[in-house]
Amino acid sequence: MYESDQDWREVDAYFEDSLVAEDDALTAARASGTRTTMPRAEVSPNQGKLLGMLCQMADATRVLEFGTLAGYSTIWLARAVGDGGHVTTLELEEQNAEVARRNLERAGVTDRVEILTGPATESVQRLIDDAVEPYDFVFIDADKPNNPAYLQASLALTRPGAVIVIDNVVRNGTVTDSETLDASAQGVRAVVAEIARDPRLDATATQTVGAKGWDGFLLIRRTA
């Protein structure tokens, strides 16, 4: 999370109050982020609703998420896929997974969410080896140096028409520095280069400012 101007926070709050209806379960999940290994790293309410809407626009019933933390975005995605849907979410730390489990239970979506703990590269390889049913929507919001590996795994686990969202790609503007030593920015630049040269992928990026500072996301559609 980067520094956020007061004006940005006020605009976020205005749209949240007007358009985003957080119930008690979502509010509690967001607050519980302080008990994870990355406090206040969850998406904002506006961003959470956007993820849910993108999932619904893609008519997704199967979602893969890289990075669970307290399960705040997981709840938005699980509600978006509906009663018959499924979300597989990957979390490195058992401490975070335990917080998420309580939040998912409070939100009433435990039955449609599976949390896999451990390094995401290992968890996702097991999914590939098990030849699981393809996912319709992927949200990548984990350790940024592994973004290229997560993208390749996502391509192995999706089919044409799938939507992939990669979060935190602007990084306060450091993404434009080709000489940066920041491993997270390097991971973003590497995955952007892979997307640009992959003819199966159609993508764009959007910058965001708000309560989470200056950042943004990649929106990708798999065409083939």
Side-chain angles (χ1 to χ4, degrees):
M1 180 176 175
Y2 303 106
E3 290 186 10
S4 176
D5 288 354
Q6 180 63 29
D7 288 346
W8 299 352
R9 294 194 295 272
E10 289 177 359
V11 170
D12 255 8
Y14 165 73
F15 285 118
E16 288 167 10
D17 291 344
S18 301
L19 303 174
V20 181
E22 268 193 322
D23 60 11
D24 291 343
L26 282 167
T27 301
R30 185 157 52 86
S32 72
T34 58
R35 300 199 299 274
T36 69
T37 58
M38 292 183 65
R40 295 176 295 280
E42 72 282 342
V43 301
S44 71
N46 283 317
Q47 293 165 342
K49 184 165 185 179
L50 175 62
L51 284 173
M53 291 179 67
L54 289 172
C55 188
Q56 290 173 326
M57 289 174 183
D59 202 22
T61 59
R62 285 180 55 79
V63 172
L64 176 63
E65 178 183 46
F66 289 80
T68 313
L69 282 182
Y72 181 74
S73 56
T74 317
I75 293 171
W76 280 106
L77 293 168
R79 288 177 171 176
V81 298
D83 290 339
H86 178 81
V87 177
T88 302
T89 183
L90 313 179
E91 173 53 50
L92 175 64
E93 303 289 348
E94 178 57 37
Q95 172 186 336
N96 300 339
E98 184 54 35
V99 173
R101 289 186 189 100
R102 291 195 292 271
N103 289 327
L104 296 170
E105 182 175 3
R106 184 184 296 110
V109 294
T110 301
D111 61 330
R112 68 189 77 162
V113 178
E114 179 183 22
I115 302 176
L116 302 181
T117 56
T121 50
E122 297 177 9
S123 297
V124 80
Q125 186 59 53
R126 289 197 297 273
L127 294 174
I128 294 170
D129 293 343
D130 291 343
V132 298
E133 182 181 347
Y135 293 95
D136 311 303
F137 188 95
V138 181
F139 180 45
I140 300 176
D141 189 18
D143 53 310
K144 311 311 172 187
N146 272 321
N147 273 346
Y150 298 154
L151 175 65
Q152 292 307 312
S154 298
L155 293 175
L157 288 165
T158 57
R159 54 191 166 197
V163 173
I164 302 170
V165 177
I166 304 180
D167 202 11
N168 305 127
V169 299
V170 173
R171 313 204 62 77
N172 216 28
T174 58
V175 69
T176 64
D177 182 3
S178 62
E179 304 299 323
T180 182
L181 299 179
D182 180 84
S184 293
Q186 290 175 348
V188 173
R189 289 180 63 88
V191 81
V192 168
E194 287 196 10
I195 294 166
R197 61 175 172 257
D198 192 324
R200 297 171 296 175
L201 302 178
D202 191 19
T204 190
T206 295
Q207 298 185 73
T208 59
V209 295
K212 296 294 180 177
W214 179 23
D215 216 326
F217 61 90
L218 288 164
L219 180 61
I220 308 155
R221 182 175 181 269
R222 179 173 180 175
T223 61

